Amino acid sequence: MTAAPILSAVAFLGPVLVGIVLVFAGLAKALDPSHFVHHLKDLRILPAQLLFPAVLAVISLQCGLGTALVLHVWPAGLLPAAAVLLLALAALGYWSTATGRAFDCGCYNGLLTFSPLQSLLLDAGYAALLVLAWWWAPADEARLWKISAVFLATVGGGLLAFGISHYSARYGKPLFELTPLKIGRLWNPRWMEDNPGPSANGGEKLIVFMGANCSHCKRWIKPLNTIHWLPSFPEVQGVVTLSPERLPQFLEESSIHFPVATVKPWVAARLSRGITPTAVLVRDGIIREKWIQMMPKEFTDRLRAEISRVAGSSTRPAETALPSR
């Protein structure tokens, strides 16, 4: 048996597989575009005013290109161009994780998480399948219904993301939350085996998912230290994706004075979806509030008022006057 039939089958099915992956990635971003906006913001490669247009463009491109590959609709040069694009995105994802700017490549908007090397190898494999198809398998006839499907997928992906973003901005909540950390949901102790967090029997705890190289997180540390030591505020529990051996050095270098638990990357990805800092306020075992990268103004106003009250009742500086738990 010659290799020709096998190569023909792989060349035919390869673009279909890559197309399905691209459509999945585009829909994952479209259902929660704000998450991908946060991801691009962390990369610090685009000005703020271009973040949302870039998100819409990426979603439209992935949905349209993926549909074209599934339906075997490609003009001359599309397959090698798509392969180069995949390799460029793989390099960008590897750079973003290697430099600590992002938790993962952002390819699947936090629904699936791969290590930088795994992501790079997957994208290289997808690119190889496209090159093989370009070299071996001719495209099908570009019928009108296929071209229409590609057009609708391209426009529809962008419109879906725009509509969901508009809903979230209007009602102040996401239409879809692709994470178990939802307001009103019971905190599941199994989410963090070593540090189960607050129980359903009472108590209040602020659980904060942090990144070891997260610049936003560093600005949270001083307020979190204060919150943890104020008796009228919830206890703070940090969560970071570090090995237990590296944790003491991280705590010392960051001047953290509240408990911090280490979790595996896939656990943090499932809960915070790679956006740090993400905080949930848990009271009586139920998630009451959820903050992403910003503390709400009413909470920070309350914190400032309490610090002023404590400082006014002591001759010592406010931070040293805070009672210990």
Side-chain angles (χ1 to χ4, degrees), residues 63-64 67 145-159:
C63 290
T67 303
W145 73 268
K146 291 185 177 183
I147 297 174
S148 299
V150 172
F151 175 78
L152 290 175
T154 303
V155 176
L159 289 178

Side-chain angles (χ1 to χ4, degrees), residues 289-303:
E289 297 183 33
K290 181 178 177 181
W291 312 336
I292 298 179
Q293 294 192 334
M294 291 185 64
M295 293 184 183
K297 185 177 184 301
E298 57 270 19
F299 186 87
T300 56
D301 289 345
R302 176 188 160 206
L303 179 60

Side-chain angles (χ1 to χ4, degrees), residues 32 41 66 89 103 108 121 126-127 141 183 207-208 218 229 272 278 289 303 305-306 308-309:
D32 189 4
K41 181 180 179 182
L89 293 176
F103 178 78
Y108 308 104
L121 292 176
Y126 297 149
E141 180 182 352
I183 296 175
I207 302 175
V208 185
K218 293 177 182 178
W229 291 111
S272 70
T278 291
E289 297 183 33
L303 179 60
E306 182 66 10
S308 298
R309 187 192 68 80

Side-chain angles (χ1 to χ4, degrees), residues 179-200:
T179 168
L181 296 182
K182 300 176 183 177
I183 296 175
R185 181 170 183 174
L186 285 172
W187 175 267
N188 189 343
R190 289 179 295 180
W191 288 339
M192 295 169 55
E193 294 180 359
D194 297 333
N195 291 269
S199 68

Side-chain angles (χ1 to χ4, degrees), residues 223-255:
L224 289 175
N225 284 334
T226 304
I227 291 167
H228 182 69
W229 291 111
L230 280 169
S232 57
F233 278 73
E235 296 183 47
V236 176
Q237 170 70 67
V239 183
V240 68
T241 55
L242 282 175
S243 64
E245 295 76 18
R246 292 183 57 196
L247 182 61
Q249 180 182 0
F250 170 71
L251 297 179
E252 181 179 357
E253 292 177 350
S254 303
S255 300

Side-chain angles (χ1 to χ4, degrees), residues 79-154:
L79 288 181
V84 171
L85 176 64
L86 284 173
L87 291 176
L89 293 176
L92 176 63
Y94 190 88
W95 167 80
S96 65
T97 52
T99 58
R101 298 194 178 203
F103 178 78
D104 68 354
C105 67
C107 308
Y108 308 104
N109 213 27
L111 290 182
L112 298 177
T113 304
F114 299 97
S115 70
L117 181 58
Q118 289 172 332
S119 179
L120 189 64
L121 292 176
L122 279 173
D123 284 337
Y126 297 149
L129 289 175
L130 295 182
V131 171
L132 177 63
W134 173 57
W135 174 62
W136 193 270
D140 292 344
E141 180 182 352
R143 300 179 180 177
L144 180 60
W145 73 268
K146 291 185 177 183
I147 297 174
S148 299
V150 172
F151 175 78
L152 290 175
T154 303

